[in-house]
Structure formats: structure tokens, C-alpha cells
């Protein structure tokens, strides 16, 4: 099962240093039954992109909680065994939890398939989105517009061999 793990660049640097993603149960995003129902598509690529987008939003939340982190969203795509990631059926169609899974244990960074990171030119919009996130969560439509602005930037794909270059200055 492919899961998408939200991180920040400092989080990616730590994973690179330790060789591990997370330290036992941690949240990631995947194509869950609830995500399939919400997205109304059977195209696996579209569904995986939706899961990646959910992880990018979770990365934005991590950035909002860490004002010192470089304002670039980071998502690591990693394959885990089917039993290693489970969705909470009680949170099923909760819009906040769409695609959310809990990964049971530590996952080796070596199992990562790719890393997705914002380009440098996204930093200003991502910083504004992280700043507006709390107000958007509170129902402020203007703040939600700012948060949605981060989605105008596609995350770039990087091979796992490029991780040292991504975290070199962190």
C-alpha cells in the first residue's frame, strides 16, 4: 500500500539522519474507502493525487506549528505492507480525516518511492497559507482563499537519492 507521509524539511532532514520515517504510530494519507467515496473516481492515479494533496495539507499544518521551518511542504511517498496502515472507520467521512491512515510502526526511509516538495518560488504563498490556516479552520472565507493558494503550487517530484540535496541547508 502506498502512503503519503507529511513532513517539513527539518522533518525530512531528521528522517534522512535516522533512516526512519516516524517513530511508531504516525499519521499518513492513502487511498482509503472514504477517500474513494468522497472523490467519486475509480482512476487510481487521481485517487493517489487526492491522497497526496491531503498529505500536503497536513504538511502545511506541520509548518503552521513550526514557525522556524522553511516554508515548503514536504510529502514522502512510501510503500508499506497492507496491514501496516489502517484507516479509522469512526472518522470515515469526516472531511478533516479523508484519506487519513495510521501507520503502525517505524518505516525505513529506504522504502520511500519518492519525495514531493514545493519549489522555492512557493515559499511566500505557503508561508501565507500557514499563517492563515487557523482562521480558515475557524470558517474565515478570506483565510481559506489564502490557504487554497498554496495548492496553486504543484509539489515537485524528487528521487530518494536527491534527499541529501533537499536537506543540505536545513
Amino acid at each position: 500500500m502506498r502512503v503519503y507521509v507529511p513532513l517539513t524539511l527539518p522533518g525530512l532532514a531528521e528522517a534522512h539522519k535516522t533512516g526512519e520515517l516516524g517513530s511508531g504510530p504516525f499519521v499518513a494519507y492513502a487511498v482509503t474507502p472514504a477517500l474513494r467515496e468522497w472523490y467519486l473516481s475509480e482512476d487510481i492515479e487521481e485517487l493517489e493525487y487526492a491522497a497526496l494533496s491531503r498529505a500536503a495539507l497536513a504538511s502545511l499544518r506541520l509548518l503552521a506549528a513550526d514557525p522556524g521551518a522553511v516554508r515548503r511542504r514536504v510529502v514522502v511517498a512510501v510503500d508499506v505492507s497492507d496491514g501496516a496502515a489502517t484507516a479509522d472507520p469512526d472518522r470515515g467521512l469526516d472531511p478533516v480525516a479523508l484519506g487519513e491512515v495510521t501507520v503502525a510502526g517505524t518505516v525505513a526511509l529506504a522504502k520511500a518511492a519518492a519525495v514531493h516538495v514545493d519549489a522555492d518560488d512557493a515559499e511566500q504563498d505557503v508561508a501565507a497559507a500557514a499563517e492563515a490556516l487557523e482562521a480558515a479552520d475557524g470558517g474565515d472565507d478570506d483565510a481559506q482563499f489564502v490557504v487554497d493558494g498554496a495548492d496553486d503550487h504543484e509539489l515537485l517530484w524528487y528521487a530518494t537519492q536527491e534527499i541529501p540535496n533537499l536537506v543540505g541547508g536545513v
Side-chain angles (χ1 to χ4, degrees), residues 38-127:
W38 171 76
Y39 201 76
L40 298 174
S41 175
E42 291 302 317
D43 184 328
I44 192 64
E45 288 183 17
E46 287 181 17
L47 291 165
E48 286 184 353
Y49 183 78
L52 172 66
S53 296
R54 301 298 295 169
L57 177 59
S59 175
L60 185 63
R61 292 188 182 287
L62 294 173
L63 289 171
D66 184 1
V70 176
R71 301 335 237 175
R72 293 169 69 190
R73 298 167 297 166
V74 177
V75 176
V76 177
V78 62
D79 295 319
V80 298
S81 64
D82 288 340
T86 56
D88 182 349
D90 294 333
R91 289 180 50 97
L93 293 177
D94 178 354
V96 175
L98 282 172
E100 187 178 283
V101 295
T102 300
V103 178
T106 303
V107 175
L109 184 60
K111 290 188 174 209
V115 180
H116 304 271
V117 182
D118 277 310
D120 292 339
D121 67 355
E123 286 185 32
Q124 185 175 352
D125 288 339
V126 171

Side-chain angles (χ1 to χ4, degrees), residues 105-165:
T106 303
V107 175
L109 184 60
K111 290 188 174 209
V115 180
H116 304 271
V117 182
D118 277 310
D120 292 339
D121 67 355
E123 286 185 32
Q124 185 175 352
D125 288 339
V126 171
E131 185 70 29
L133 196 55
E134 186 176 346
D137 286 346
D140 183 323
D141 290 338
D142 292 334
Q144 185 63 54
F145 181 78
V146 173
V147 170
D148 292 343
D151 288 337
D152 291 341
H153 298 277
E154 292 289 330
L155 296 178
L156 302 178
W157 182 94
Y158 292 92
T160 56
Q161 299 89 327
E162 297 177 274
I163 293 173
N165 295 333

